[in-house]
Amino acid sequence: MGSVHGGEQRSSGVRKRVGRAWWGPVVNTVGKRLPGAGPSPRPGPGRKLLPDAGPQRLTSAEPKPLPDAGRKPLPRTVRLLIVARAVNRLGAFSLSFLTVLLAADFGAGATTAGYIAGAFGLATIPSRLIGGRLADRIGRRRTIVLGLTGCAVAQLGLAASGGLASAACFAVLMGLAFEIYEPPSQAMIADVLAPAEQVRAYSLLNAALAVAGMGAGLLAAGLGRWDLRWLFVADALTCLLCALTVHLVLPADHHAVTPTAREDGAVSPWRDRSLLMMLAAGTLFAVVYLQIMIALPLSLELRGLQPADAGLLFTASALTIAAGQPLLRIGRVARLSTSAALACGYLLTAVGLAGYALAPGLALHIAATVMWSAGDLLLVGRAYALVAGLAPAGAKARYLAVYGTSWGIAAVVAPPVGTQLLERAGPVGLWCTMAAACGVLAVVQPAWIRRAVEGGAGGGRLKWEESAVPPVSG
């Protein structure tokens, strides 16, 4: 969701996906393609390569899923990357305290602190685009190390600042470095895994970050009582530890410039209408998802519950996402096509959010949380695998970076949308509106995917047909 999406979470105080925000705990739902190496997967039996001016398309009725795709372990590169990201996530709690630090330690007023935090949020949008371009130019591993190191330097500078002006500068620099490592991490998964396995890897990364987010909350509770600056120091140290781990254990970048890579490098993701359709859908979903992180505590308070109960709901979500991973590889769930999985995921999310509108007590709020978290299980891996499939081999990270900006855009849009809906329509109006948005996505996005697969009616180009992102066999 991956951002939060984006996974960026998907989980209090989570980094997203695609989606990190300055005002509070935001999930960065994950699901991204990691920097890596291999060539594009070849068509299996029954698939036919079609000559195409753009990326290749595959046609077939419904190819069989890769044998034992759900049973064999993920490659060592992917497993190590997930572990490294989880370690980094353990320290990703400082952002929720940025405005508090600016006010408490540097004497900033509420408005000034809000502007500085807003500048941080806006800086994360070009940060992700920079990461995508660097990953396709200089390699995945180098870009991950560069982004994490830059983020650590900015956080240490913020912690050591002696005045508001320098703190503001380091906050903006932190925003510019904050998302650089996301596109190469996502692209690396796409590079080394076949489409059937990408869904499982992105979902597992999302689950690992969600569980690590629970540990991050505990660390924040301890360090925050001591000194807020130490939150940023601890976050910086986990960034450096993750960067060192990536440098030592992940394979080196091999960046041979071939005619194909040179041609792919000239491709502009912003001209691919299929990608722009995915970006529009991803942005709407990110706005919905961030309401859970931003508006849920306020909604609970208006219902007569404790705002702190949101922490219990975030924990229930993380546990659901982690415990639900095996379900993705069994029975009918594993055999769902991409369009069917997205439709089911959006509908489950809609039902969960509608549950928030109707739930009078904490128990029903927990049940609603489990419901939308089950929807998140179906959405994150499929969406990122589909975006990765749109990209030419030499432009994967840039495509994923453009898609990931949905969380940065949502980080700007979601707070005023949520607070205005709460003020004018109350919790019922807010959650019914968000459920309706998911209902629209459940109809429109799968329909567009089917049209694009059948005849290119979506106006863009799909590198792989829907069936080329096959279900994981159980």
Side-chain angles (χ1 to χ4, degrees), residues 1-376:
M1 106 194 129
S3 11
V4 113
H5 10 244
E8 135 130 209
Q9 335 175 303
R10 222 197 176 127
S11 11
S12 74
V14 177
R15 282 199 189 213
K16 102 89 319 166
R17 30 170 269 181
V18 102
R20 298 170 176 132
W22 47 267
W23 48 81
V26 172
V27 171
N28 181 7
T29 41
V30 275
K32 304 166 184 177
R33 230 153 137 138
L34 302 178
S40 299
R42 297 181 179 179
R47 299 185 187 180
K48 181 182 178 183
L49 273 175
L50 297 181
D52 193 358
Q56 59 189 18
R57 292 179 63 193
L58 297 175
T59 69
S60 69
E62 182 68 31
K64 296 179 180 179
L66 299 178
D68 296 326
R71 297 189 184 94
K72 67 179 183 180
L74 294 171
R76 179 175 179 270
T77 296
V78 175
R79 287 183 279 121
L80 290 173
L81 177 68
I82 291 174
V83 170
R85 288 295 309 276
V87 169
N88 178 228
R89 178 65 193 87
L90 281 172
F93 42 68
S94 63
L95 191 56
S96 300
F97 299 90
L98 177 58
T99 53
V100 180
L101 176 68
L102 292 171
D105 281 30
F106 298 106
T111 302
T112 302
Y115 281 134
I116 295 173
F120 165 87
L122 288 174
T124 62
I125 298 177
S127 172
R128 190 178 286 266
L129 297 176
I130 291 169
R133 181 164 292 276
L134 287 176
D136 285 336
R137 289 283 183 89
I138 67 174
R140 318 310 199 197
R141 191 180 74 170
R142 292 188 187 98
T143 305
I144 295 174
V145 172
L146 177 65
L148 289 169
T149 303
C151 191
V153 170
Q155 288 174 321
L156 290 173
L158 180 60
S161 292
L164 181 60
S166 61
C169 290
F170 279 114
V172 174
L173 288 175
M174 183 169 68
L176 289 172
F178 206 67
E179 299 282 355
I180 286 177
Y181 66 86
E182 291 286 0
S185 296
Q186 298 163 354
M188 187 175 283
I189 288 177
D191 287 340
V192 301
L193 290 177
E197 296 174 303
Q198 290 168 18
V199 175
R200 179 162 64 109
Y202 288 137
S203 297
L204 185 60
L205 177 58
N206 185 44
L209 294 180
V211 173
M214 293 190 295
L218 296 176
L219 291 174
L223 290 174
R225 286 181 172 84
W226 184 17
D227 189 327
L228 289 175
R229 297 192 189 218
W230 281 106
L231 294 174
F232 292 85
V233 173
D235 199 348
L237 292 177
T238 59
C239 283
L240 292 174
L241 179 60
C242 183
L244 180 62
T245 303
V246 167
H247 178 72
L248 293 177
V249 305
L250 294 187
D253 296 312
H254 299 289
H255 207 64
V257 180
T258 64
T260 301
R262 193 177 295 110
E263 181 180 339
D264 291 344
V267 172
S268 172
W270 296 104
R271 295 179 181 177
D272 191 324
R273 283 177 289 176
S274 293
L275 177 62
L276 295 181
M277 286 288 292
M278 290 294 295
L279 174 60
T283 300
L284 178 56
F285 177 73
V287 170
V288 171
Y289 199 91
L290 290 183
Q291 298 308 323
I292 299 171
M293 303 301 124
I294 300 164
L296 182 57
L298 298 173
S299 174
L300 291 173
E301 187 174 27
L302 291 174
R303 284 284 175 79
L305 300 172
Q306 292 295 322
D309 289 339
L312 296 176
L313 301 181
F314 296 147
T315 300
S317 173
L319 292 175
T320 301
I321 292 171
Q325 293 301 308
L327 299 178
L328 297 176
R329 305 194 298 272
I330 61 174
R332 294 182 179 180
V333 176
R335 292 190 291 272
L336 287 174
S337 66
T338 298
S339 59
L342 292 177
C344 291
Y346 286 129
L347 288 174
L348 285 171
T349 304
V351 171
L353 297 178
Y356 281 165
L358 303 174
L362 184 60
L364 289 180
H365 274 85
I366 293 175
T369 299
V370 172
M371 184 67 70
W372 69 252
S373 299
D376 187 56

